[in-house]
Amino acid sequence: EARVYAQLPRNELPAEATLHGRVHGPRCVYARSLTSSVRLVDRGPGNTLLAEAIVPDPCFWTPALPYLYQIETELHIAGEVVERTQRELGIRPLGRRGKRFMYDGRPWVARGVDINRVTDPQWFVWREQEAIMICDAPDEAFLQQADEHGYLLAVQIRNGQALGEQIARLARHPSVGFVVLASSANIDNSVRRG
């Protein structure tokens, strides 16, 4: 199972505000799968609004099969829906154990190609070889294409201004497996915790 969370700062919201919604999917451009719809359930009072969905037997986002889920989130106040939002989500089996990268529970060695240094990019070959595309400042259209078609990215951030905002934007995309920062980047505690 995979647990999917939606979270929202309370800020000025009234105490009766709650989060609800659904997780739909998966879908993939390279395969067909049975789809399901799982409820996002409000998890009660706390410092933030929090809702959780438990997705049984999730289909993971991988370069070979980039499965995506559609998340619909609703903000309720006194039983009325006051705001709705939708996002896509890919559940990646990519992580680390100690100093080693893990992919689907097994040790993994990352291989990358800097797309800025290649004159004729063969994206489909990179995807088939599960090579990482190293790139600078991808726009939303490029990121969405990478999400949908299974291009695993390492995004270099050269400008340290609004570092937290840049990382938060990139973190919304399952295709972004890595963010590469300059050794001189000023990383504050909020970015480290984020």
Side-chain angles (χ1 to χ4, degrees):
E1 69 185 34
R3 293 175 184 265
V4 175
Y5 295 95
Q7 187 176 24
L8 182 68
R10 275 202 183 273
N11 296 334
E12 305 291 320
L13 293 172
E16 67 270 14
T18 56
L19 283 179
H20 300 275
R22 298 197 84 72
V23 177
H24 303 283
R27 70 174 182 80
C28 177
V29 296
Y30 303 117
R32 294 184 189 259
S33 179
L34 293 175
T35 60
S36 66
S37 181
V38 180
R39 283 184 28 194
L40 272 167
V41 178
D42 187 78
R43 287 298 170 214
N47 294 336
T48 65
L49 296 175
L50 182 67
E52 175 188 42
I54 300 174
V55 179
D57 297 320
C59 292
F60 292 113
W61 187 98
T62 65
L65 293 169
Y67 283 105
L68 295 169
Y69 289 86
Q70 182 75 33
I71 313 298
E72 296 174 358
T73 308
E74 298 175 342
L75 173 62
H76 291 223
I77 297 178
E80 300 276 330
V81 177
V82 296
E83 190 73 40
R84 282 192 172 98
T85 186
Q86 291 186 354
R87 282 212 179 131
E88 287 196 321
L89 168 76
I91 303 169
R92 286 188 313 235
L94 176 63
R96 70 174 179 86
R97 185 176 301 141
K99 293 184 178 184
R100 299 190 74 160
F101 288 123
M102 304 297 285
Y103 197 83
D104 202 16
R106 294 184 297 271
W108 179 66
V109 176
R111 296 176 311 233
V113 178
D114 187 341
I115 65 173
N116 299 314
R117 296 177 187 241
V118 177
T119 56
D120 183 24
Q122 300 291 317
W123 290 12
F124 67 94
V125 173
W126 290 346
R127 187 181 70 77
E128 288 173 359
Q129 298 301 316
E130 295 186 0
I132 299 168
M133 296 170 127
I134 303 168
C135 58
D136 294 329
D139 62 18
E140 283 300 308
F142 180 89
L143 291 168
Q144 289 173 358
Q145 182 180 2
D147 291 345
E148 185 127 340
H149 291 281
Y151 307 130
L152 186 57
L153 306 176
V155 178
Q156 298 181 88
I157 298 179
R158 300 201 187 277
N159 182 351
Q161 294 178 333
L163 187 59
E165 291 173 22
Q166 290 183 68
I167 292 173
R169 180 181 77 88
L170 294 170
R172 292 185 185 120
H173 295 277
S175 58
V176 179
F178 305 91
V179 173
V180 181
L181 304 174
S183 59
S184 61
N186 184 14
I187 303 171
D188 66 25
N189 287 336
S190 66
V191 172
R192 290 181 195 279
R193 285 191 302 270

